[in-house]
Structures are given as C-alpha cells and as structure tokens.
Amino acid sequence: AQSVTQPDIHITVSEGASLELRCNYSYGATPYLFWYVQSPGQGLQLLLKYFSGDTLVQGIKGFEAEFKRSQSSFNLRKPSVHWSDAAEYFCAVGVRGNMLTFGGGTRLMVKP
Amino acid sequence: GAVVSQHPSWVICKSGTSVKIECRSLDFQATTMFWYRQFPKQSLMLMATSNEGSKATYEQGVEKDKFLINHASLTLSTLTVTSAHPEDSSFYICSASGDRDDYVQYFGPGTRLTVT
C-alpha cells in the first residue's frame, strides 16, 4: 500500500531564510505527487504537482519541488520565506481513481 | 479557476439532529468528489468518494448510514451527518476533481461542525 511520510512535524524558520520541507513516499508505480498548503481553519490550496517530465517543478507563491525517484522523495523548497507562508503543508501521492494519500503534514512557523 | 465552495462554513447543532453540508464546484464539472474529516492538528482522513449519479464508496470504518453522501449533479455533492453526536464534531472538507485537470483535487474551504 502507498504511504507518505513527512518527517518534520514542526519547522520554524526566520523570515527571509530558505526553506525545505521533506516528503518521502512509498508507492509501487510512478507516482503523481502534490504539495498542498492549509491556513488555519481553511481548506487546502494546491501549490504544485508532478506527473512526469522535468523533475523540478515550479509552483505558486515562489515554491518549487524536486522529484527524486532514487530517494523516493519530493521535497518542497522556497529560497526566501515570508511571514505569510506560515501554515500547514501537506505532501500527497495520487493513487487509483484520483484518490490522494496524504502525509501527516508539517507546520511551518516563521519568525520575524 | 477551479473553485470549490462549501456551505455552511460552520454549524452548531444539538445531539440527535441531522446536519447537511453542501459542496459545489463553481467553475468546472466535478465527476468525482471526495469527503474528508480532519481532527485538530492532524492530517486529512478520507471518508468517502462519490461519482456523479453513483453511490458513494466509503472508506473502511466510516458508517455509511451515519454519513450520507449524495452526488446529485456534476457540480454538487452533499454530506448529511445523521443523528449527530458530540464525537462527530470535526472539520469536514470536500474536494472535487473532474474535467479541469486530471488527477488534481481542488478543495473547499471546509465546514466546522460542533455538536452540543
């Protein structure tokens, strides 16, 4: 069965610093991979997705993610974090019938 | 584009009553809709998947008679929590996928249900 692991439950970075959120997956086939962001009390917003092709994908709000098949990873990065990026971030892998399996989430806090 | 709405955004009901939550895709046709439940500081738990015009497929452990799902059209799905109890209090989120972007789910803003 597929699974998604986000090893970091909480991450705190200073505003302006770079950010990397880790995501590892386990899936028997070529995965569809997603990163979503959730602000408190809100639904999820799609940041970016990987289906195939270039392993470095660009998303909204200045985020990017790199698919590394050898490491079964799809880490999310941003070169300079803004205070408004504070939120919960979810990595997900797409499986049968458009279904998603989510990781446990990483809560990002931004220090001024 | 790819906007999904939910109504209501929050609801308080008394134990034993039923509550209906609506999920609408506003600018695309949603062939598949999903209902999730999220507990505080936790990830999303898939409750059920529904395809337009078909019965919903429930995940293991989700009571289909308690959580009634109707996907009546390509833009509307409803979740009815029947005979609600305090333990049903949670954040319910719907998502939709369809003709806009294969394999992508677009999420609604969620509904906070509190059962007193």
Side-chain angles (χ1 to χ4, degrees):
Chain A
Q2 66 284 344
S3 66
V4 180
T5 302
Q6 294 179 243
D8 304 304
I9 297 175
H10 293 100
I11 282 186
T12 300
V13 299
S14 297
E15 191 169 15
S18 64
L19 170 71
E20 182 169 33
L21 302 183
R22 296 184 290 164
C23 172
N24 293 96
Y25 67 90
S26 173
Y27 186 53
T30 301
Y32 299 125
L33 295 162
F34 305 83
W35 275 99
Y36 286 89
V37 61
Q38 183 182 32
S39 297
Q42 300 294 316
L44 277 67
Q45 181 182 23
L46 178 67
L47 284 177
L48 47 76
K49 61 185 184 285
Y50 172 78
F51 289 171
S52 64
D54 192 346
T55 56
L56 183 64
V57 293
Q58 301 298 319
I60 62 171
K61 303 185 179 187
F63 286 93
E64 66 178 26
E66 186 171 13
F67 170 56
K68 293 186 177 180
R69 184 186 301 274
S70 61
Q71 299 177 20
S72 297
S73 70
F74 188 57
N75 294 349
L76 182 71
R77 300 194 293 249
K78 185 169 185 178
S80 177
V81 170
H82 188 263
W83 63 266
S84 61
D85 293 323
E88 187 89 18
Y89 291 80
F90 292 98
C91 179
V93 60
V95 294
R96 70 189 190 285
N98 296 358
M99 294 177 66
L100 295 177
T101 295
F102 284 92
T106 297
R107 180 166 298 276
L108 172 66
M109 291 174 281
V110 180
K111 293 190 299 186
Chain B
V3 179
V4 176
S5 69
Q6 270 184 254
H7 178 78
S9 55
W10 59 270
V11 58
I12 301 173
C13 71
K14 291 184 183 250
S15 186
T17 62
S18 295
V19 174
K20 180 183 285 188
I21 302 170
E22 291 188 349
C23 177
R24 292 180 185 273
S25 57
L26 299 185
D27 55 357
F28 68 103
Q29 294 189 323
T31 50
T32 307
M33 285 186 166
F34 305 84
W35 286 95
Y36 295 86
R37 187 172 178 176
Q38 186 179 32
F39 293 102
K41 301 187 187 303
Q42 293 190 25
S43 189
L44 282 74
M45 180 191 78
L46 179 65
M47 299 174 65
T49 304
S50 71
N51 294 295
E52 185 265 340
S54 302
K55 288 185 178 180
T57 301
Y58 291 81
E59 294 299 298
Q60 192 171 8
V62 177
E63 299 177 60
K64 60 180 66 177
D65 293 331
K66 181 165 192 61
F67 299 100
L68 301 179
I69 291 171
N70 187 337
H71 192 161
S73 74
L74 285 172
T75 60
L76 174 64
S77 176
T78 59
L79 166 67
T80 302
V81 183
T82 63
S83 187
H85 289 97
E87 57 266 31
D88 300 325
S89 298
S90 192
F91 193 57
Y92 293 88
I93 307 176
C94 73
S95 70
S97 67
D99 62 359
R100 177 168 289 271
D101 204 345
D102 286 343
Y103 302 107
V104 177
Q105 289 185 28
Y106 295 96
F107 285 80
T111 297
R112 171 75 58 194
L113 170 63
T114 302
V115 184
T116 61

